[in-house]
Amino acid sequence: QEFRQRGSYVDGDPRYHKQKFSSYGKREQVELWSQKEFRNLTRANSAGVPVPLPVLCDKNMLFMRFLGEDGWPSPQLREIDIRRGSSKWIHLYCQTLVAVRRLYHCARLVHADLSEYN
């Protein structure tokens, strides 16, 4: 169910077969998506975009460096108590703009789901 919408993420990418994503089995779809995510994270990281460091992709498993401290994950933007227009908000907003710019201009990637959850 979750990977039903992932076809447009993989289809058309010259790094992958010319076969349609939907023609693969469910497990193969998850493996293809994992490989693509690993490659994109590697490209983004090489371009200086602050993303989790991809460590290994093995079949349908994607291993990344943990983001957090003392075993606690870093908060998502939606979990941060921040007032729009505050100096912290402006700093994070500018940091996000720089990251998106690097993602596009340096890694040659576009993030289609830039939200407070990602």
Side-chain angles (χ1 to χ4, degrees):
Q1 175 83 5
E2 183 178 326
F3 282 90
R4 189 175 290 163
Q5 304 299 322
R6 306 287 174 159
S8 58
Y9 181 66
V10 177
D11 286 342
D13 189 322
R15 297 175 293 175
Y16 296 91
H17 312 290
K18 295 182 180 187
Q19 191 173 350
K20 283 280 205 190
F21 184 75
S22 60
S23 68
Y24 289 98
K26 298 259 186 256
R27 185 160 189 90
E28 291 170 310
Q29 287 180 356
V30 175
E31 288 179 19
L32 274 175
W33 179 86
S34 298
Q35 291 168 11
K36 181 172 174 99
E37 190 72 5
F38 180 82
R39 289 178 178 162
N40 287 349
L41 283 168
T42 300
R43 284 171 64 182
N45 183 275
S46 295
V49 179
V51 296
L53 180 67
V55 177
L56 173 71
C57 183
D58 184 26
K59 297 181 182 172
N60 65 331
M61 296 178 290
L62 177 60
F63 296 91
M64 298 178 282
R65 184 170 177 218
F66 177 74
L67 296 178
E69 293 181 19
D70 300 323
W72 293 96
S74 295
Q76 296 174 334
L77 286 177
R78 66 185 177 94
E79 298 170 335
I80 297 173
D81 186 27
I82 191 168
R83 197 181 87 253
R84 186 177 183 169
S86 68
S87 60
K88 188 173 185 178
W89 184 91
I90 292 169
H91 174 74
L92 291 173
Y93 180 77
C94 291
Q95 195 175 29
T96 302
L97 290 180
V98 168
V100 169
R101 182 173 176 78
R102 280 188 184 154
L103 187 67
Y104 180 73
H105 289 287
C106 302
R108 309 303 285 164
L109 293 169
V110 174
H111 198 300
D113 183 21
L114 185 60
S115 69
E116 66 272 20
Y117 296 95
N118 286 309

